[in-house]
C-alpha cells in the first residue's frame, strides 16, 4: 500500500514532503487580502535560440526567490504559486497580482549563447502596471550566481527593504563550481516538474552536481529531498532511504548548519528513522532560522496537528496559504486542518476551492467535504454527495477507501438506517487491516460506541507494534489519525490518554 496513496487517502497531505508539480491554477483564485509588502517572482522566459534553456529560466527565478526571502519585512510568494502562471500568456500582471494578493511582480527573460548569458528583469507594480525598476545583464555564464544576487539586491532597494547579506551558512549563497551549479539547477527543474521519469532525472543531476563539487550544499540538500520522496512514493525501502538520505543530510549540515531548509531536511530524516525528539529539535532550529520557509511551515504545522495543537497548526497553515495561495497541496492541507480543528463549514468551502484549483485533487477533497457535512449534522446531504460522486466517477468497490466506506456508514447510521450501516461496515473486511481499523474507530466513535472504537484503536496499536522498524509511513498515518474530529467523543475517556501516550512513541 504505497505511502503517498495512503497519505492522500487519509487527507494527510502535510506528511507528503515536497511540492507537487506545476499546475495551471485559475488566475482568479484569491484567498485573502493583499499582503502590503510582498512580491511574486515569475519564471524567467527562455529566449535562447535553441529553446532548451527553460530549466535555466526557472532556476534563476527560484534562486532570486531564495535570496529575497531573507529580506526584512518582505513577503515572497512561494514558487508553486508564482510558477502556476507559467506558459499562460493570457494572465496579465494585474490578474496575477490579484490572484496572488501581491502589489509587486518581478518578471524577466534569459538568453544563452556561446558561453554568455543575457538576463533581463523588471519589477512591476501590479496595481497600475508601472515599471519600478528594470535592467539587462550581459555576463559570462560562470557569473550567473552574482547576477542573481545583483537582481535580488536591486529589487530590495526598489522596495526599500533590507536584503540580509548572504553568508556561508546559507546553501543559496555558497560559491560553487559553475558546472556543478548548472547541474543543480537542472536537477531542481526536474524535481519540481514531476513528469514521468523526472525524479530519476533530478537524482542523476544532483549526483553529478555533488561529484563535480562536493561542497555544493544546495545539491546535497535537494539530493536528500529526492531520497525522501522516493521512500514516500514507495520506490525505495525506508531503511535504504534513511541510510542514503542520512548521508546527504550530513553533508548538507556540515556545509550549511544554519540554513533553515537543511535543518528541515534533517528533521524529515529523523522522522523517517522514528526519532521524534531529534526531529523536533531540528525543526525548532529551522523555525528559528526562517519561520516562513515553505518546508518549515508545512512540517511544523503537521507536527502541531499530530500533537493536537490545533491553534498552532491552523495559524501556521494560514500563513502557508498567504505565501502560497495557489498551491493545491497547501490549500488541501488547510482544508484538512480546518476539519480536524472543528471548523467544518470553512473546511467544506476550502475543499471546494481546492477542487476548483486542481480537478486532480477532487477525490481527496471530496472526502473532506463528505466528512465536513457529517460533522455539521447534515447526514442526508453527506450520503447524497457520496453516492453522487461514486456514480459520477464510476468508482469500483475495490478502490473505495476505508474512509469512504465508514463515511457512508456514518451517514446511514445518522439517518436511522442502522442495518444498512452495518452492512456497509462489513465491506471494511476488503480493506488492509490498519485502514479497516481506522474506519472502524471513526464509525464507532461517531455512533456512540466507545467500546468498539477503543477496540479498533487497540488493534491499531498492536499492529504498529509488529511493524518492522522501517515502516515509518504507517506510524505517521496512525499518529496523524489521532487528530481526527470523529474521535473527539473519546477524548474524555481515560483510555484516550493511554492511546496518545502509546502512539506518541512510534
Amino acid at each position: 500500500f504505497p505511502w503517498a496513496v495512503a497519505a492522500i487517502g487519509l487527507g494527510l497531505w502535510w506528511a507528503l514532503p515536497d511540492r507537487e508539480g506545476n499546475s495551471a491554477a485559475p488566475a482568479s483564485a484569491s484567498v485573502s487580502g493583499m499582503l502590503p509588502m510582498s512580491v511574486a517572482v515569475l519564471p524567467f522566459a527562455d529566449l535562447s535560440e535553441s529553446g532548451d534553456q527553460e530549466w535555466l529560466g526557472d532556476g534563476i527565478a527560484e534562486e532570486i526567490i531564495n535570496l529575497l526571502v531573507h529580506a526584512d519585512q518582505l513577503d515572497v510568494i512561494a514558487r508553486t504559486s508564482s510558477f502556476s502562471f507559467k506558459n499562460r500568456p493570457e494572465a496579465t500582471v494585474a490578474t496575477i497580482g490579484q490572484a496572488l494578493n501581491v502589489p509587486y511582480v518581478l518578471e524577466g527573460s534569459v538568453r544563452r549563447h556561446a558561453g554568455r548569458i543575457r538576463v533581463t528583469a523588471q519589477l512591476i507594480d501590479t496595481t497600475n502596471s508601472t515599471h519600478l525598476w528594470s535592467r539587462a545583464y550581459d555576463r559570462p555564464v560562470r557569473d550567473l550566481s552574482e547576477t542573481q544576487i545583483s537582481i535580488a539586491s536591486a529589487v530590495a532597494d526598489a522596495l526599500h527593504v533590507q536584503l540580509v547579506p548572504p553568508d556561508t551558512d546559507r546553501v543559496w549563497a555558497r560559491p560553487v563550481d559553475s558546472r556543478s551549479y548548472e547541474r543543480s539547477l537542472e536537477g531542481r527543474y526536474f524535481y519540481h516538474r514531476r513528469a514521468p521519469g523526472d525524479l530519476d532525472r533530478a537524482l542523476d543531476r544532483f549526483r553529478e552536481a555533488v561529484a563535480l563539487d562536493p561542497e555544493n550544499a544546495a545539491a546535497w540538500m535537494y539530493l536528500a529531498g529526492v531520497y525522501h520522496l522516493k521512500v514516500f512514493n514507495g520506490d525505495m525501502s525506508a531503511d535504504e532511504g534513511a541510510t542514503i538520505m542520512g548521508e546527504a543530510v550530513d553533508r548538507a549540515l556540515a556545509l550549511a548548519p544554519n540554513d533553515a531548509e537543511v535543518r528541515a531536511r534533517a528533521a524529515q530524516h529523523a522522522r523517517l528513522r522514528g526519532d521524534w525528539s531529534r526531529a523536533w529539535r531540528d525543526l525548532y532550529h529551522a523555525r528559528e532560522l526562517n519561520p516562513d520557509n515553505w518546508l518549515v511551515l508545512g512540517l511544523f504545522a503537521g507536527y502541531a496537528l499530530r500533537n493536537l495543537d490545533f491553534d498552532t497548526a491552523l495559524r501556521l497553515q494560514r500563513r502557508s496559504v498567504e505565501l502560497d495561495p495557489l498551491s493545491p497541496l497547501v490549500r488541501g492541507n488547510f482544508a484538512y486542518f480546518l476539519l480536524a480543528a472543528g471548523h467544518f463549514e470553512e473546511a467544506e468551502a476550502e475543499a471546494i476551492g481546492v477542487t476548483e484549483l486542481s480537478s486532480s485533487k477532487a477525490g481527496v477533497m471530496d472526502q473532506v467535504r463528505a466528512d465536513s457535512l457529517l460533522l455539521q449534522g447534515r447526514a442526508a446531504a453527506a450520503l447524497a454527495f457520496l453516492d453522487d460522486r461514486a456514480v459520477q466517477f464510476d468508482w469500483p468497490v475495490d478502490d473505495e477507501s476505508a474512509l469512504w466506506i465508514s463515511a457512508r456508514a456514518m451517514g446511514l447510521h445518522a439517518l436511522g438506517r442502522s442495518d444498512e450501516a452495518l452492512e456497509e461496515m462489513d465491506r471494511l473486511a476488503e480493506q488492509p487491516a490498519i485502514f479497516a481499523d481506522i474506519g472502524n474507530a471513526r464509525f464507532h466513535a461517531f455512533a456512540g460506541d466507545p467500546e468498539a472504537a477503543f477496540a479498533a484503536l487497540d488493534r491499531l496499536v498492536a499492529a504498529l507494534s509488529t511493524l518492522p522498524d522501517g515502516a515509518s509511513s504507517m506510524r505517521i498515518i496512525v499518529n496523524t489519525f489521532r487528530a481526527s474530529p470523529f474521535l473527539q467523543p473519546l477524548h474524555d475517556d481515560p483510555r484516550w490518554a493511554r492511546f496518545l501516550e502509546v502512539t506518541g512513541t512510534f
Side-chain angles (χ1 to χ4, degrees):
F1 204 93
W3 156 243
V5 175
I8 291 174
L10 286 167
L12 312 185
W13 285 7
W14 72 267
L16 294 177
D18 299 286
R19 285 287 186 264
E20 74 278 14
N22 294 331
S23 60
S28 59
S30 179
V31 297
S32 63
M34 183 173 286
L35 297 171
M37 183 53 68
S38 56
V39 64
V41 181
L42 305 182
F44 280 36
D46 173 25
L47 300 183
S48 300
E49 292 182 5
S50 58
D52 60 353
Q53 299 295 301
E54 182 180 358
W55 61 270
L56 185 57
D58 285 9
I60 290 172
E62 185 178 359
E63 290 284 80
I64 293 170
I65 290 173
N66 292 325
L67 290 164
L68 286 175
V69 293
H70 295 292
D72 291 337
Q73 300 179 331
L74 179 67
D75 288 327
V76 184
I77 297 300
R79 180 191 193 279
T80 306
S81 289
S82 292
F83 279 42
S84 66
F85 295 96
K86 187 175 180 179
N87 300 322
R88 294 182 58 206
E90 79 282 2
T92 66
V93 167
T95 58
I96 292 172
Q98 291 172 358
L100 298 178
N101 308 309
V102 296
Y104 307 108
V105 162
L106 179 72
E107 63 178 13
S109 64
V110 57
R111 183 189 299 271
R112 183 172 182 168
H113 179 71
R116 296 190 67 83
I117 186 170
R118 180 177 177 81
V119 180
T120 64
Q122 45 270 344
L123 181 66
I124 305 172
D125 186 326
T126 65
T127 63
N128 54 26
S129 298
T130 60
H131 284 61
L132 302 180
W133 167 86
S134 64
R135 184 173 173 183
Y137 300 82
D138 192 347
R139 295 177 176 177
V141 173
R142 64 177 179 272
D143 293 339
L144 177 59
S145 180
E146 288 76 9
T147 301
Q148 291 158 167
I149 293 174
S150 296
I151 294 173
S153 298
V155 169
D157 289 343
L159 296 179
H160 306 290
V161 297
Q162 180 66 44
L163 185 66
V164 178
D167 58 55
T168 56
D169 279 340
R170 295 204 179 99
V171 297
W172 315 109
R174 297 182 65 85
V176 297
D177 175 84
S178 61
R179 296 171 302 161
S180 174
Y181 186 67
E182 288 195 42
R183 295 293 81 72
S184 184
L185 290 185
E186 284 188 89
R188 280 149 56 186
Y189 172 77
F190 293 124
Y191 179 88
H192 289 294
R193 190 177 69 172
R194 304 285 172 83
D198 273 356
L199 203 57
D200 288 328
R201 296 184 185 96
L203 181 62
D204 290 341
R205 300 304 190 278
F206 292 133
R207 283 175 171 168
E208 290 178 27
V210 297
L212 288 166
D213 187 348
E215 293 194 357
N216 187 338
W220 284 114
M221 182 186 71
Y222 267 98
L223 196 57
V226 171
Y227 291 137
H228 193 245
L229 266 177
K230 281 190 164 290
V231 170
F232 282 82
N233 285 343
D235 299 330
M236 183 181 293
S237 73
D239 287 337
E240 179 187 3
T243 298
I244 58 178
M245 182 184 180
E247 295 171 358
V249 165
D250 287 345
R251 294 298 295 268
L253 281 172
L255 293 165
N258 291 322
D259 183 88
E261 200 161 331
V262 169
R263 283 289 168 182
R265 294 295 181 192
Q268 284 183 314
H269 178 245
R271 184 184 67 180
L272 189 64
R273 294 186 291 106
D275 188 348
W276 286 98
S277 60
R278 173 62 188 272
W280 269 113
R281 289 197 302 272
D282 281 326
L283 191 55
Y284 268 102
H285 193 175
R287 191 182 181 196
E288 291 174 351
L289 292 166
N290 186 357
D292 278 343
N293 175 272
W294 66 267
L295 186 59
V296 174
L297 274 171
L299 288 177
F300 213 101
Y303 287 176
L305 186 74
R306 171 186 181 268
N307 288 338
L308 310 186
D309 183 357
F310 298 119
D311 288 343
T312 298
L314 278 181
R315 176 170 51 81
L316 294 176
Q317 200 60 28
R318 285 186 191 276
R319 178 59 174 162
S320 290
V321 171
E322 284 185 343
L323 297 175
D324 208 353
L326 299 186
S327 166
L329 180 67
V330 170
R331 296 279 298 276
N333 280 345
F334 188 44
Y336 181 74
F337 286 16
L338 287 165
L339 183 74
H343 301 275
F344 306 135
E345 292 184 10
E346 192 177 353
E348 179 189 3
E350 187 67 19
I352 293 171
V354 174
T355 304
E356 292 173 350
L357 277 175
S358 176
S359 59
S360 66
K361 312 303 182 189
V364 183
M365 289 297 99
D366 284 349
Q367 186 66 62
V368 172
R369 289 177 67 181
D371 285 353
S372 68
L373 289 170
L374 287 168
L375 291 161
Q376 291 174 57
R378 300 166 60 192
L383 195 59
F385 175 73
L386 287 166
D387 289 345
D388 174 72
R389 300 301 275 181
V391 171
Q392 182 176 346
F393 291 101
D394 191 26
W395 285 322
V397 170
D398 290 345
D399 285 349
E400 292 183 15
S401 72
L403 298 187
W404 197 267
I405 292 169
S406 60
R408 288 199 80 255
M410 285 187 275
L412 291 167
H413 174 84
L415 294 174
R417 298 158 61 181
S418 299
D419 290 343
E420 293 177 72
L422 293 177
E423 289 178 5
E424 186 74 20
M425 289 297 289
D426 287 342
R427 296 173 55 207
L428 284 178
E430 305 166 9
Q431 299 292 314
I434 285 182
F435 298 101
D437 285 328
I438 286 175
N440 273 299
R442 276 165 45 102
F443 173 79
H444 290 298
F446 178 83
D449 188 351
E451 297 303 321
F454 277 110
L457 294 180
D458 287 343
R459 291 193 297 271
L460 278 179
V461 170
L464 284 176
S465 301
T466 62
L467 289 174
D469 291 341
S472 60
S473 59
M474 286 296 181
R475 294 187 171 88
I476 293 172
I477 287 173
V478 175
N479 263 290
T480 307
F481 177 56
R482 305 185 313 174
S484 170
F486 291 105
L487 302 183
Q488 285 283 344
L490 308 179
H491 287 191
D492 292 334
D493 192 300
R495 290 172 289 184
W496 177 253
R498 291 197 295 272
F499 173 72
L500 292 181
E501 182 180 1
V502 172
T503 54
T505 64
F506 290 116

